[in-house]
Amino acid sequence: MASFAPRPIPSPLHLRLAVVGAGAAGLVAARELRREGHGVVVFERGASVGGTWVYTPAVESDPLGTDPARNIVHSSLYKSLRTNLPRECMGFLDYPFVPRGSGGDARRFPSHEEVLRYLENFAEEFGLIESIRFRTEVERVEREVDGKRWIVKSREVGGGGEKKREVYDGVVVCNGHYTEPRIAEISGIDAWPGNQMHSHNYRVPEPFVNQAVIVIGSSASAVDISRDVARLAKEVHIASRSVTGRVPAKVPSYENMWFHSTIERADRDGSVVFHDGSLVYADVIIHCTGYKYYFPFLETNGVLTVDDNQVSPLYKHVFPPQLAPSLSFIGLPWKVIPFPLVELQCKWLAGILSGRIELPLEEEMLKDVKADYQRLEMKGWPKRYAHNFSDFQFEYDDWLAEQCGLPPVEDWRKEMYVVASKNRVARPEVYRDEWDDDHLVEQSYKYFENLVQLS
């Protein structure tokens, strides 16, 4: 199926811009900025596009990945991963994620290989490859002395790689947030004799044959990995804050998997005690506990901070007010449909850099940031939930669309996301293959056909 053809928009400004990362966010950033007529260089430390969607069997030397300086593996994919969103609502707004050609995965909830193929097709169709410097790592980003432009220092990945120092009018940070692990704090864990790892380093279940495994977390990765491991492990115990009702409780449809409350402590005899009073002798603990925002290359002289995973201050989760619009961050929100959200962020960013869309004054942006903090406090959420958009992603998407002069996100896409989320909770074992929203699938494909006719 064809997509919208690129439509360059006349712009009075022609800037030289650096984009850090060639995952989904970096690719759509490059497209939107190029459409405005800007010069774009995308820095990608890997050998291909796709970012976190590039699967590798390689893992970190430290299974917990607690030392960011030693972490070299970008991807956190496990081999069996399939999307937890239906492809119709997952794709970019003007480039449908539909089966293309032969040899792909046409399932509605496809494998990670299919998502990577989609991003590769996107990069090729919009001519983005020519703007990407592969195997090039950004080592430092800092402002020039006069504060007007940005110095970007990079090097070729590999021994003796060439180093460069260049100056850009702006920097767009798209380096993802699924690389630096967050680890659960467990009393007594230092004396516990078992093994630990983070889901960042989980690939296949074979290493856990006949072992007793504890999985910490309730996210999509915790659900998937616990099921994957249970195929070969002796037993699997899921420790989660989200578990309600009596615990421990056997997971429906499984004879070797149980829900527990959170962990109270780990003891030197190999036991792990849960707050529900149960005790398990375990061989390994897998932390499916999320990731940290990490920008080791970025120097802002204290203007921007990351405190308990809150990147601040950021206007609309994109611009540091004091450095706007020359420094921006794309793709920080989570609990969202990521591709449409980052596309709208990038359209907004591109319009601002071209002078077609105006940002508020710095003081007004800071006032908006403060209101964001107050909303977080009113919800009783900790700082680490600052970029959790579970309650207002579509309100945010539609605001961005309005700023860009675009219509709101399609109703069928919003409804499909809600229905799929409910189905995932109701049928966790089969939601990827059984659903009740065929009417929404039909609406989506009619919409895609209209896109083709308009292109």
Side-chain angles (χ1 to χ4, degrees), residues 201-276:
N201 289 308
Y202 177 83
R203 297 294 182 267
V204 293
E206 280 73 15
F208 308 98
V209 171
N210 295 326
Q211 293 192 357
V213 179
I214 294 175
V215 175
I216 302 177
S218 56
S219 64
S221 63
V223 174
D224 284 351
I225 290 172
S226 61
R227 271 72 176 172
D228 205 24
V229 169
R231 296 189 293 113
L232 299 178
K234 180 173 64 176
E235 52 194 59
V236 176
H237 302 269
I238 303 170
S240 171
R241 287 191 297 261
S242 303
V243 173
T244 58
R246 293 188 61 184
V247 285
K250 188 167 285 188
V251 177
S253 304
Y254 289 87
E255 293 299 319
N256 66 336
M257 186 155 57
W258 291 264
F259 288 124
H260 294 263
S261 63
T262 53
I263 295 173
E264 178 182 339
R265 71 178 188 274
D267 292 330
R268 63 176 63 251
D269 65 355
S271 64
V272 175
V273 180
F274 299 87
H275 281 105
D276 57 37

Side-chain angles (χ1 to χ4, degrees), residues 310-453:
Q310 180 185 56
V311 186
S312 65
L314 286 181
Y315 176 64
K316 302 302 183 186
H317 302 262
V318 174
F319 293 107
Q322 189 175 330
L323 303 173
S326 65
L327 179 65
S328 57
F329 295 79
I330 300 297
L332 296 188
W334 50 284
K335 291 273 186 178
V336 299
I337 312 176
F339 292 4
L341 183 142
V342 298
E343 180 180 0
L344 287 168
Q345 285 183 325
C346 291
K347 289 179 183 296
W348 182 51
L349 164 66
I352 289 168
L353 289 174
S354 294
R356 294 187 301 101
I357 302 173
E358 288 188 6
L359 276 175
L361 297 174
E362 180 181 335
E363 182 179 339
E364 294 174 11
M365 287 192 281
L366 287 170
K367 191 179 296 184
D368 188 88
V369 172
K370 186 176 180 180
D372 222 19
Y373 296 164
Q374 291 172 342
R375 176 160 60 170
L376 195 68
E377 291 175 7
M378 288 178 63
K379 283 179 170 290
W381 284 3
K383 282 185 177 181
R384 66 178 180 274
Y385 281 16
H387 308 291
N388 180 341
F389 275 34
S390 57
D391 290 351
F392 53 87
Q393 70 159 315
F394 294 124
E395 175 188 336
Y396 178 78
D397 287 349
D398 290 348
W399 183 89
L400 290 172
E402 183 182 18
Q403 296 298 301
C404 299
L406 298 171
V409 170
E410 313 89 355
D411 288 339
W412 64 261
R413 193 185 300 263
K414 296 173 180 175
E415 186 178 352
M416 184 180 290
Y417 175 81
V418 172
V419 170
S421 299
K422 291 179 178 178
N423 192 39
R424 185 165 62 247
V425 174
R427 297 188 276 195
E429 312 304 328
V430 297
Y431 75 90
R432 290 181 173 98
D433 299 299
E434 297 179 11
W435 53 81
D436 303 309
D437 63 341
D438 284 336
H439 64 294
L440 295 175
V441 177
E442 184 178 353
Q443 288 180 41
S444 71
Y445 274 84
K446 286 182 179 177
Y447 178 82
F448 298 155
E449 289 172 6
N450 288 333
L451 284 184
V452 175
Q453 293 171 8

Side-chain angles (χ1 to χ4, degrees), residues 82-154:
R82 290 172 62 186
T83 66
N84 62 357
L85 291 173
R87 66 191 307 152
E88 299 87 14
C89 74
M90 182 177 171
F92 293 120
L93 297 171
D94 63 357
Y95 191 74
F97 185 17
V98 295
R100 297 168 186 264
S102 60
D105 182 353
R107 290 177 294 180
R108 196 173 175 215
F109 293 77
S111 66
H112 56 82
E113 292 97 339
E114 180 75 357
V115 182
L116 178 60
R117 188 177 297 111
Y118 169 73
L119 293 174
E120 290 171 340
N121 289 338
F122 180 87
E124 291 173 8
E125 183 148 341
F126 293 102
L128 304 178
I129 302 298
E130 64 189 39
S131 295
I132 304 173
R133 293 183 190 169
F134 293 108
R135 300 187 62 78
T136 303
E137 183 167 12
V138 173
E139 293 190 319
R140 191 169 181 84
V141 171
E142 60 188 350
R143 284 193 293 177
E144 285 189 307
V145 175
D146 61 10
K148 293 181 179 179
R149 296 194 296 175
W150 291 86
I151 299 168
V152 177
K153 297 177 181 178
S154 64

Side-chain angles (χ1 to χ4, degrees), residues 21-24 27 44 48-55 74-77 116 119:
L27 291 175
E44 171 54 51
S48 59
V49 302
T52 195
W53 291 101
V54 179
Y55 174 79
H74 184 73
S75 179
S76 296
L77 294 180
L116 178 60
L119 293 174

